[in-house]
């Protein structure tokens, strides 16, 4: 403001929202349709963009909207990593009771073990604290189509409207193939924003036979 610029911070809860906002999309927080295509943008700076995890979306924006597509202008001075968190208590309990190492992804394979016994199921949730499916990346047609093609899990996809989206259960959830027939045996993967790493973990759950239910928390 001291330089004469009118500044204002904008809303957006995740990296991809920032991509679309800088590209001039009118509704960058709308997972299903960010309404892109205009030649002017009012959003000029996005901090801490986790571009590596959404490289295909980044490239698609570069190809489709070259006049307003975001540019990487340099590092903020630090690097970050992301992953999943399981409490120390749960990890130690599983190991003490049956030598199950929940820090290793193959120990979550429901064909060999029953990792769900160490976690809550969806009955523990107050649905007022979690997002509806239509507020999450489950509505991202491109991501869901890619998930289905890679895993072959077309039963986890809904195409009834003519648009490919993830199949929503009970208004809030997506269940992995291995526990879909018995949802109470699924344990939650809780994420935030519109569903950070949502489609990534869907794919892991399908490929590695993990009995997971995807949940997006309201923050």
């Amino acid at each position: 403001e001291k330089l004469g610029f009118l500044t204002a911070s904008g809303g957006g809860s995740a990296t991809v929202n920032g991509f679309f906002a800088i590209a001039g999309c009118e509704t960058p927080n709308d997972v299903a349709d960010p309404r892109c295509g205009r030649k002017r943008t009012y959003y000029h700076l996005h901090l801490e963009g986790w571009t590596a995890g959404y490289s295909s979306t980044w490239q698609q924006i570069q190809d489709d909207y070259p006049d307003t597509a975001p540019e990487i202008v340099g590092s903020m001075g630090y690097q970050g990593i992301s992953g999943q968190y399981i409490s120390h208590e749960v990890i130690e309990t599983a190991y003490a009771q049956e030598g199950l190492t929940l820090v290793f992804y193959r120990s979550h394979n429901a064909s060999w073990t029953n990792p769900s016994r160490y976690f809550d199921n969806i009955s523990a949730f107050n649905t007022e604290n979690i997002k509806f499916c239509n507020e999450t990346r489950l509505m991202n047609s491109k991501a869901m189509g890619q998930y289905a093609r890679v895993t072959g899990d077309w039963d986890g996809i809904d195409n009834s409207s003519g648009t490919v989206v993830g199949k929503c259960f009970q208004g809030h959830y997506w269940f992995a193939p291995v526990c879909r027939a018995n949802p109470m045996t699924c344990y939650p993967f809780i994420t935030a924003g519109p569903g950070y790493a949502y489609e990534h973990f869907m794919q892991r759950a399908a490929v590695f036979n993990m009995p997971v239910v995807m949940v997006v928390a309201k923050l």
Side-chain angles (χ1 to χ4, degrees), residues 119-176:
F119 300 91
D120 290 328
N121 57 41
I122 58 173
S123 67
F125 288 107
N126 179 345
T127 54
E128 292 183 0
N129 297 325
I130 59 180
K131 290 188 175 182
F132 287 99
C133 294
N134 62 8
E135 301 175 280
T136 74
R137 287 189 63 78
L138 207 61
M139 299 296 104
N140 186 291
S141 183
K142 183 176 181 180
M144 295 301 113
Q146 183 175 11
Y147 162 80
R149 288 189 295 274
V150 169
T151 65
D153 178 30
W154 290 97
D155 288 337
I157 296 299
D158 183 359
N159 194 26
S160 59
S161 67
T163 300
V164 173
V165 296
K167 185 171 288 185
C168 179
F169 297 88
Q170 301 176 32
H172 299 275
Y173 308 114
W174 180 88
F175 298 112

Side-chain angles (χ1 to χ4, degrees), residues 73-207:
V73 295
S75 171
M76 293 185 66
Y78 63 89
Q79 294 182 331
I81 58 174
S82 65
Q84 290 70 55
Y85 171 78
I86 302 174
S87 72
H88 179 75
E89 179 183 1
V90 169
I91 291 172
E92 291 300 312
T93 299
Y95 190 72
Q97 290 190 7
E98 57 178 311
L100 188 63
T101 54
L102 292 178
V103 294
F104 183 51
Y105 70 98
R106 289 193 180 274
S107 294
H108 293 257
N109 189 324
S111 295
W112 299 98
T113 64
N114 181 22
S116 299
R117 62 184 291 208
Y118 300 103
F119 300 91
D120 290 328
N121 57 41
I122 58 173
S123 67
F125 288 107
N126 179 345
T127 54
E128 292 183 0
N129 297 325
I130 59 180
K131 290 188 175 182
F132 287 99
C133 294
N134 62 8
E135 301 175 280
T136 74
R137 287 189 63 78
L138 207 61
M139 299 296 104
N140 186 291
S141 183
K142 183 176 181 180
M144 295 301 113
Q146 183 175 11
Y147 162 80
R149 288 189 295 274
V150 169
T151 65
D153 178 30
W154 290 97
D155 288 337
I157 296 299
D158 183 359
N159 194 26
S160 59
S161 67
T163 300
V164 173
V165 296
K167 185 171 288 185
C168 179
F169 297 88
Q170 301 176 32
H172 299 275
Y173 308 114
W174 180 88
F175 298 112
V178 71
C179 61
R180 193 170 292 152
N182 189 4
M184 298 305 286
T185 64
C186 299
Y187 65 85
F189 173 83
I190 305 172
T191 184
Y196 181 76
Y198 199 111
E199 62 268 30
H200 307 82
F201 211 82
M202 285 173 63
Q203 183 172 325
R204 292 170 192 163
V207 172

Side-chain angles (χ1 to χ4, degrees), residues 41-79:
T41 180
Y42 297 97
Y43 191 102
H44 302 105
L45 182 65
H46 177 66
L47 302 178
E48 199 178 271
W50 292 70
T51 53
Y54 299 96
S55 57
S56 61
T57 303
W58 173 274
Q59 189 57 52
Q60 191 67 52
I61 291 174
Q62 304 297 316
D63 294 341
D64 292 347
Y65 315 109
D67 293 337
T68 54
E71 299 178 24
I72 298 175
V73 295
S75 171
M76 293 185 66
Y78 63 89
Q79 294 182 331

